[in-house]
């Protein structure tokens, strides 16, 4: 019952995003970072997100420097 409710909520959210923003939330190419946090501690999530941001910022600085 709760699984059905969750699925219906997700379907509604997906339709709303598509209608409002023309974004398919199930298409991971729309996102810069996708992470399954179900087995990670908050510290692990923070570390991984921070590492991603640092790498992205470093890459962006290199791109801007080479323009």
């Amino acid at each position: 019952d709760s699984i059905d409710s969750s699925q219906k909520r997700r379907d509604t959210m997906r339709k709303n995003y598509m209608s409002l923003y023309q974004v398919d939330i199930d298409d991971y190419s729309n996102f810069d970072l996708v992470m399954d946090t179900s087995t990670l501690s908050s510290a692990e999530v923070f570390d991984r997100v921070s590492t991603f941001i640092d790498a992205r910022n470093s890459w962006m600085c290199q791109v801007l420097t080479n323009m």
Side-chain angles (χ1 to χ4, degrees):
D1 197 33
S2 66
I3 293 173
D4 288 338
S5 176
S6 285
Q7 186 60 47
K8 287 178 185 176
R9 203 168 31 251
R10 174 120 173 104
D11 291 343
T12 299
M13 183 173 65
R14 184 171 189 248
K15 288 175 189 173
N16 287 341
Y17 267 79
M18 186 59 78
S19 173
L20 292 169
Y21 309 113
Q22 293 74 51
V23 171
D24 180 358
I25 61 173
D26 290 328
D27 179 0
Y28 291 156
S29 70
N30 290 314
F31 306 98
D32 293 326
L33 177 64
V34 177
M35 181 183 336
D36 178 2
T37 62
S38 59
T39 62
L40 301 175
S41 70
S42 57
E44 289 171 311
V45 172
F46 178 82
D47 287 343
R48 290 181 187 194
V49 171
S50 296
T51 299
F52 175 82
I53 292 170
D54 290 344
R56 177 59 67 96
N57 286 343
S58 175
W59 174 83
M60 186 59 74
C61 286
Q62 289 175 357
V63 168
L64 293 175
T65 300
N66 293 325
M67 290 182 88

